[in-house]
Amino acid sequence: MCGIVGYNGRRKAAPILIDSLKRLEYRGYDSAGIAVFNESAIEVYKDKGKIADVEKTLPEITGTVGIGHTRWATHGKPNKVNAHPHVSGNVVVVHNGIIENYEQLKDKLTGSGYIFVSETDTEVLAHLVNYYYKGDLTDAVFSALKDIKGSYAIAVLCGSELVAARKDSPLIIGIGSDENFIASDIPAILKYTRKIIYLDDLEVATVTPDSVSFFDFNKQPVEKKINNIEWDMEAAEKSGYEHFMLKEIHEQPKALHETFAGRISELEGNISLDGLNLTETQVKGIPRISIIACGTSFNAGLLGKYLFEHLTDVHVDVEIASEFRYAHSSPGSLVIAITQSGETADTLAALREAKGFGCRTLAITNVVGSTITREVDGVIYIRSGPEIGVAATKTFVSQLGVLYLLAFYFGKCKGKLSSDSIKRMLASLKRIPAQITRINSNKEIIRKYAEKFSASNDIFFIGRTFNYPIALEGALKLKEISYIHAEGYAAGELKHGPLALITKNTPVIAIATKGLIYDKMVNNIKEVKAREAPIIAIADEKDTEIEKYVDAVIKIPATEDILSPILAIVVMQLFSYYTARARNCPIDQPRNLAKSVTVE
Ligand code: F6R
């Protein structure tokens, strides 16, 4: 995610801000900037690219209070204007999160004479604080935050006044001697202090060189506990997790929260997909969809096919991007390219092919301004934040999040889904992040089974309908990071040949959540059991029957049949992770896999 730093003390602020930002570089970013109150005015230095590039442009700045930011674009391209800090008169703001009602606030502020120069949602915050500023920055921040819907971690500077606040996005305060710090993550300031205070949701902090005052949302003072950080730098970068992959699996609830932010109103049953660039009438007229993608993104696309075909009358083909050019697409089709990086050469080549056929194109991606986003008619960003582990985890879950929203929206436009069903499904979808947190907190049982089977030569994953793509993704994840031979199969297909490979030495992981095909899945499990294979079932927490047919059960929270894949995959990711860990594999940098594959 984006990084925030702030400093108020007796030393020169600029070198400390730059150094602190560099300590957040490992998280990924596309632009950076700082603002320092220098004698009588605030000076801002920011640009697209690396922190070191911004550093090169800095003159001698003697000011001792300032803020800084590394940005990972979610609204607007990565460029100088969109980089933080954002300025409104004497007010300067850095922000992580998403302001969901920024369009409404922008209209209001434009009406009051404010001029917007960037494409970001953050600029609205700068103007709003400026609008309310009457000589006390803390008061102005409180007033502004009351108008805001969404998530935020912010640091605001006005003259030498420095204020921080958070809701649903992390922010900490570092306590020094004659100096205090703000940061979005501990590594940024660990070099300067180990005394850390965690800001809680809806709290505001006023930071001076000698003191930090904390307030709740009613502006009542709050007592906060100082924590002494014992971690070393490397552990701190991973927030205490052993690997980025495990950290990112745990970040999935937050990533999904961002994916959904501002796009769902479950009470009215409305879905708004910024960037889709299709009217309801145009959606209604789409007869056919082709999804093109590679690897993990292909598996997301395959679930997309099941969703669209279940919820709408649209026929969907899913093509491995490198094979698409040898297939045909009709000009009326909507072609959806799914790619976390937005740079995959095979997907880009297939997309260009589709444009050659005269198809309308849409990208689902994580990287704002990536090559694919510049070549399509519409883009929906998945907003996972940077993913450092090479094997995709949170970007896959966020891709699924977008595909659910898209399929519900198409179902609604095409008159195939009643308003009540959409409201029900959106309400269930909104519960998914908390349900993923519950699976994560149950990871010890998954670790136990992963370790037990980690010496296997072959592992099979089986599922049906919505969970068939998850069987494929489970197998892919295991292959990528543990180097065990793994196969994902549609469970009904085993009897057409692959059963020959199932023996007592071939563990099988079966996704058997309650739904349309539960009984059929149980039959497939019995076929496997007859070959004496050890079976682990992933089943609903209320299912008491499945124990009879399998050797072990990993329970997941119950949800709608079509939503179960987004929970089942978390078990698969953790299973792969702990298997690879037991085999001492280099989990975050597996062999022969790159984060962005730019060769065909
Ligand atoms: C799997 C993985 C790869 C990518 C594939 C496509 O963990 O990382 O299989 O999914 O290379 O990449 P994107 O989504 O960037 O197009």
Side-chain angles (χ1 to χ4, degrees):
M1 303 283 172
C2 307
I4 287 181
V5 296
Y7 175 79
N8 201 354
R10 314 251 184 257
R11 296 192 265 173
K12 286 182 190 167
I16 294 176
L17 295 171
I18 292 285
D19 177 64
S20 302
L21 286 178
K22 283 184 180 168
R23 288 167 195 283
L24 294 178
E25 273 190 311
Y26 70 94
R27 297 150 55 105
Y29 65 103
D30 49 47
S31 43
I34 64 165
V36 177
F37 178 62
N38 203 21
E39 292 171 14
S40 58
I42 293 178
E43 295 175 14
V44 176
Y45 302 89
K46 60 181 187 174
D47 213 340
K48 180 181 171 186
K50 295 287 157 203
I51 298 160
D53 299 330
V54 174
E55 188 179 12
K56 280 188 211 136
T57 67
L58 298 182
E60 180 65 21
I61 312 172
T62 53
T64 58
V65 53
I67 55 180
H69 193 261
T70 46
R71 173 174 189 248
W72 170 272
T74 56
H75 283 72
K77 288 181 278 302
N79 60 25
K80 183 168 182 163
V81 180
N82 290 335
H84 299 211
H86 286 280
V87 184
S88 178
N90 292 328
V91 174
V92 183
V93 175
V94 292
H95 163 230
N96 291 350
I98 294 177
I99 308 296
E100 293 177 15
N101 59 338
Y102 89 105
E103 292 285 6
Q104 293 98 298
L105 291 170
K106 185 173 173 182
D107 288 348
K108 179 178 141 182
L109 288 159
T110 307
S112 301
Y114 285 91
I115 294 166
F116 283 76
V117 294
S118 79
E119 303 163 282
T120 68
D121 53 338
T122 301
E123 196 181 355
V124 97
L125 252 171
H127 289 317
L128 205 56
V129 174
N130 177 296
Y131 174 81
Y132 284 116
Y133 188 76
K134 303 276 179 294
D136 182 317
L137 183 62
T138 308
D139 280 346
V141 169
F142 267 109
S143 304
L145 294 182
K146 301 258 179 215
D147 288 354
I148 296 262
K149 277 200 204 139
S151 57
Y152 54 79
I154 54 169
V156 189
L157 186 65
C158 179
S160 61
E161 291 180 276
L162 178 62
V163 172
R166 74 156 270 181
K167 177 176 172 274
D168 297 331
S169 193
L171 203 62
I172 57 165
I173 303 294
I175 305 295
S177 120
D178 284 342
E179 56 186 5
N180 290 306
F181 303 82
I182 300 170
S184 53
D185 211 351
I186 293 170
I189 54 175
L190 202 55
K191 176 177 160 194
Y192 302 102
T193 179
R194 290 187 165 267
K195 288 188 197 157
I196 299 295
I197 295 176
Y198 296 96
L199 215 56
D200 284 314
D201 269 351
L202 298 173
E203 285 181 350
V204 174
T206 309
V207 182
T208 74
D210 312 305
S211 68
V212 185
S213 313
F214 295 90
F215 305 96
D216 68 14
F217 214 51
N218 298 318
K219 223 187 160 198
Q220 295 305 307
V222 189
E223 284 291 317
K224 300 290 290 182
K225 173 175 160 248
I226 299 182
N227 302 272
N228 201 34
I229 300 300
E230 313 279 351
W231 309 337
D232 61 10
M233 198 57 200
E234 209 213 343
E237 282 181 355
K238 295 178 187 145
S239 308
Y241 292 101
E242 202 176 330
H243 296 96
F244 282 108
M245 181 177 176
L246 189 61
K247 175 172 181 267
E248 284 157 2
I249 291 172
H250 281 77
E251 279 172 0
Q252 292 182 135
K254 164 111 177 66
L256 261 188
H257 184 77
E258 300 286 335
T259 306
F260 297 151
R263 290 171 169 167
I264 298 179
S265 57
E266 72 270 31
L267 293 180
E268 293 92 46
N270 285 338
I271 297 160
S272 98
L273 289 168
D274 46 317
L276 175 61
N277 273 349
L278 286 169
T279 61
E280 284 197 29
T281 319
Q282 283 174 312
V283 169
K284 219 169 170 177
I286 292 171
R288 200 179 171 106
I289 293 175
S290 293
I291 298 179
I292 49 176
C294 308
T296 288
S297 296
F298 172 84
N299 295 334
L302 189 56
L303 177 60
K305 172 183 168 68
Y306 281 98
L307 296 178
F308 279 107
E309 293 191 342
H310 186 73
L311 301 171
T312 75
D313 57 1
V314 192
H315 173 83
V316 183
D317 300 305
V318 196
E319 303 281 353
I320 292 173
S322 53
E323 293 295 318
F324 179 78
R325 59 177 46 184
Y326 313 110
H328 274 287
S329 200
S330 44
S333 295
L334 171 68
V335 172
I336 305 180
I338 306 180
T339 163
Q340 57 81 23
S341 63
E343 300 293 347
T344 301
D346 286 327
T347 310
L348 192 55
L351 185 86
R352 288 176 180 156
E353 201 77 12
K355 285 168 73 175
F357 288 133
C359 301
R360 199 183 164 87
T361 53
L362 173 71
I364 297 179
T365 188
N366 196 30
V367 183
V368 177
S370 52
T371 307
I372 278 178
T373 66
R374 297 197 292 270
E375 302 206 8
V376 283
D377 302 308
V379 188
I380 303 179
Y381 290 107
I382 62 174
R383 305 178 184 154
S384 302
E387 192 172 59
I388 311 292
V390 171
T393 52
K394 64 176 179 172
T395 51
F396 178 71
V397 158
S398 293
Q399 284 171 346
L400 298 192
V402 164
L403 285 165
Y404 282 116
L405 295 183
L406 202 56
F408 294 162
Y409 183 68
F410 271 53
K412 185 180 175 194
C413 296
K414 287 181 165 283
K416 292 281 164 192
L417 278 180
S418 70
S419 161
D420 281 351
S421 337
I422 295 194
K423 286 181 194 165
R424 197 192 64 239
M425 284 189 284
L426 287 179
S428 300
L429 194 59
K430 277 220 143 167
R431 283 194 286 274
I432 293 290
Q435 292 177 321
I436 292 180
T437 303
R438 280 174 56 203
I439 297 173
N440 284 336
S441 61
N442 200 19
K443 58 181 180 284
E444 278 310 300
I445 180 161
I446 302 171
R447 183 172 68 81
K448 188 179 97 185
Y449 294 127
E451 286 174 358
K452 180 168 175 190
F453 294 114
S454 62
S456 308
N457 290 325
D458 314 279
I459 299 188
F460 274 59
F461 294 76
I462 56 172
R464 294 184 78 123
T465 62
F466 307 114
N467 278 310
Y468 164 45
I470 299 306
L472 293 181
E473 176 58 9
L476 179 60
K477 217 71 323 167
L478 192 74
K479 281 183 252 204
E480 283 170 345
I481 63 166
S482 77
Y483 315 147
I484 293 179
H485 167 241
E487 300 275 358
Y489 265 100
E493 186 65 8
L494 283 185
K495 59 185 174 296
H496 298 289
L499 267 181
L501 297 177
I502 304 287
T503 68
K504 63 178 178 353
N505 297 320
T506 325
V508 175
I509 305 199
I511 310 166
T513 48
K514 286 276 184 192
L516 271 178
I517 44 65
Y518 179 78
D519 293 338
K520 290 201 164 104
M521 192 66 206
V522 168
N523 285 339
N524 299 137
I525 286 174
K526 287 178 183 166
E527 287 163 7
V528 170
K529 196 71 224 156
R531 274 82 192 167
E532 296 179 37
I535 307 178
I536 304 175
I538 298 172
D540 288 350
E541 58 195 355
K542 293 201 180 100
D543 185 348
T544 49
E545 184 193 343
I546 194 82
E547 267 100 357
K548 290 189 275 191
Y549 312 114
V550 299
D551 301 280
V553 185
I554 297 170
K555 297 274 176 92
I556 59 174
T559 183
E560 305 267 342
D561 197 11
I562 59 167
L563 296 182
S564 62
I566 202 167
L567 297 180
I569 188 55
V570 183
V571 177
M572 304 295 197
Q573 293 166 343
L574 286 165
F575 183 85
S576 302
Y577 171 79
Y578 284 117
T579 307
R581 185 173 170 274
R583 293 165 69 92
N584 283 323
C585 294
I587 292 177
D588 285 331
Q589 270 112 25
R591 71 185 180 208
N592 301 340
L593 184 62
K595 198 71 209 156
S596 126
V597 183
T598 51
V599 288
E600 279 187 56

